[in-house]
Amino acid sequence: MSELRRSWVESANSAATPFPLNNLPYGVFSTGPTPPRCGVAIGDRILDLAGLEAAGALAFGGVFAEASWNRFMARGQADWARLRAALTAALAEGSDQRAALAPHLVPMDTAKLHLPFEVREYTDFYASRHHATNVGTMFRGADKALPPNWLHIPIGYNGRASSVVVSGTDVIRPHGQIKGPDDVLPRFAPSARFDLELELGAIVGQPSSGPLSVAEGFAAIFGYVLLNDWSARDIQAWEYQPLGPFQGKATATTISPWIVTVAALAPFRVAAPPREVPLLPYLEEPGPMLYDIALEVGLTPEDGVETILARTNARELYYSAAQQLAHHASSGCPMRVGDLLGSGTISGAGPEARGSLLEMSWGGAEPITLADGQCRRFLEDGDTLTLRGAARGAGYQIGFGPCRGRVLPARAL
């Protein structure tokens, strides 16, 4: 395991910061009246890359003055590596560039964070075996928990790119058609079974116009974000047959504000779990393609204290983002710079590692007691959900920043 790289930005040398020199995640920020622009997180500061480029300290064609990382991503792997190497050297302890960079460091607590990239398309997968088994057991019984195709294919559905919002954005409880087991007809009402999904999102950084191998898919991924796929379970239950999720998944998808690059996560690559059945050759991995990223989700009621609902790890996934991308492109489906792939809910083997309230409360049958004594089966108005994640090295961590959203009451219709 690699060790902490020390920086002249002192706050980046703390074991508590999610943004050491080893990380250097990319985001979009604004301060006061200035327009959103590209920056990199280092300790408790944001390095203003647009300002650096305007001052002549970087030369990437003016891409950092834009309010997204899409144009930079499109430049390809050589420039990805060139920027990371330049920033690592310039911010390292003992660098002779300190005087040039210091005026372009912005206190993070004075900045507003925006969506870090323009989401072109959004696809959500179902790649955690424990999650799929739990949900299948609830609805089909333990002997038929996994669909027949699950061990052979990364299952997914096409979502709405327009639903993706940055951390800190409030989420309004959705209305939809709902039909309970005792209802003769469906009714139109606010969702009473509103839920979270603890996921990892992969960002496609290179386009394709035909099939990709898993290795090519891995090379096309620019980085990762935490992702909460808000889900209205009662709306979903009525609508999903025969074509799958639609309005129950269209309310919002919250992502963390910083893109953690594949390069930053490289020391934390791990192998997939053992395969119960061999995968078809086009899905076979040429090497470890999952990551050892500790994940947790906390719930804070309105005017209450936070309860950590679950802790799990991204290594619990059965299919990697590279496999998901290879399968997505296998039909010839073009992939574009800025496409977002959600992993699906990440759950571990035990009850304490379940990544959705649907699983935690076992479909609402087993209420969860919060730290202040309140109970939850599903989300209540005023609840704030916070997803956190970090890959932990020797004396440092590679973090994403919080992925947070608060539930607001349904609008009157």
Side-chain angles (χ1 to χ4, degrees):
M1 184 66 67
S2 61
E3 296 183 349
L4 172 70
R5 296 174 178 171
R6 296 192 64 82
S7 171
W8 54 263
V9 181
E10 286 300 325
S11 60
N13 299 325
S14 166
T17 181
F19 307 128
L21 185 58
N22 305 62
N23 192 350
L24 300 180
Y26 301 141
V28 170
F29 75 103
S30 61
T31 51
T34 60
R37 56 205 186 273
C38 292
V40 60
I42 178 74
D44 61 0
R45 296 289 188 268
I46 300 173
L47 182 61
D48 183 350
L49 298 189
L52 275 182
E53 194 162 36
L58 287 175
F60 285 87
V63 296
F64 302 128
E66 299 194 0
S68 84
W69 280 82
N70 291 57
R71 272 191 63 202
F72 175 80
M73 288 192 285
R75 294 175 71 102
Q77 283 193 331
D79 273 359
W80 300 356
R82 182 163 71 92
L83 176 61
R84 182 171 175 82
L87 293 174
T88 300
L91 291 164
E93 192 173 58
S95 167
D96 60 4
Q97 299 180 61
R98 177 171 183 171
L101 267 63
H104 299 283
L105 286 173
V106 176
M108 194 174 295
D109 60 7
T110 67
K112 179 180 180 180
L113 300 179
H114 303 267
L115 272 177
F117 66 104
E118 179 187 352
V119 182
R120 298 296 302 274
E121 307 281 357
Y122 167 49
T123 305
D124 196 37
F125 285 86
Y126 192 48
S128 165
R129 182 168 184 174
H130 294 299
H131 172 67
T133 300
N134 287 337
V135 173
T137 299
M138 273 184 258
F139 294 109
R140 292 184 297 273
D143 57 335
K144 296 181 179 179
L146 289 179
N149 58 355
W150 200 91
L151 294 172
H152 300 273
I153 186 174
I155 296 173
Y157 70 93
N158 290 309
R160 290 285 299 176
S162 63
S163 75
V164 180
V165 297
V166 74
S167 176
T169 305
D170 291 335
V171 175
I172 297 171
R173 182 180 298 275
H175 279 77
Q177 279 202 25
I178 297 167
K179 186 178 184 299
D182 300 323
D183 295 330
V184 176
L185 296 173
R187 53 199 165 83
F188 187 72
S191 171
R193 294 165 68 89
F194 201 38
D195 199 0
L196 73 125
E197 290 194 347
L198 171 59
E199 304 191 23
L200 195 64
I203 302 160
V204 177
Q206 287 289 279
S208 62
S209 57
L212 297 170
S213 68
V214 174
E216 290 169 332
F218 185 84
I221 295 171
F222 181 67
Y224 292 84
V225 290
L226 301 180
L227 186 152
N228 180 1
D229 182 31
W230 302 85
S231 301
R233 302 299 186 185
D234 38 8
I235 297 172
Q236 183 182 356
W238 170 237
E239 74 178 4
Y240 84 102
Q241 295 186 42
L243 296 182
F246 183 40
Q247 292 295 81
K249 294 281 194 170
T251 301
T253 300
T254 303
I255 64 170
S256 52
W258 297 102
I259 303 171
V260 177
T261 63
V262 169
L265 290 171
F268 305 95
R269 286 172 62 176
V270 292
R275 304 296 181 187
E276 184 173 314
V277 295
L279 296 174
L280 294 176
Y282 82 102
L283 286 175
E284 291 178 354
E285 310 103 311
M289 291 188 171
L290 295 178
Y291 296 99
D292 181 4
I293 303 172
L295 302 168
E296 70 175 31
V297 56
L299 186 154
T300 306
E302 191 167 20
D303 301 322
V305 297
E306 184 179 61
T307 300
I308 300 302
L309 297 179
R311 290 187 172 94
T312 184
N313 195 293
R315 70 188 304 161
E316 296 286 355
L317 290 168
Y318 194 81
Y319 295 105
S320 68
Q323 289 173 303
Q324 294 164 13
L325 183 52
H327 180 66
H328 208 328
S330 65
S331 64
C333 173
M335 307 304 296
R336 300 193 287 182
V337 173
D339 283 356
L340 175 63
L341 308 181
S343 64
T345 305
I346 304 173
S347 295
E352 74 289 345
R354 294 171 178 170
S356 68
L357 282 168
L358 177 69
E359 297 167 84
M360 296 177 206
S361 71
W362 207 250
E366 301 173 5
I368 302 154
T369 302
L370 304 182
D372 61 3
Q374 296 187 53
C375 290
R376 289 291 185 276
R377 290 177 170 85
F378 293 95
L379 297 174
E380 300 288 342
D381 293 344
D383 286 349
T384 296
L385 270 296
T386 304
L387 278 53
R388 302 181 184 89
R392 298 191 171 98
Y396 74 96
Q397 57 181 323
I398 302 293
F400 295 78
C403 178
R404 180 175 292 125
R406 179 181 55 157
V407 180
L408 298 184
R411 288 178 176 151
L413 296 179

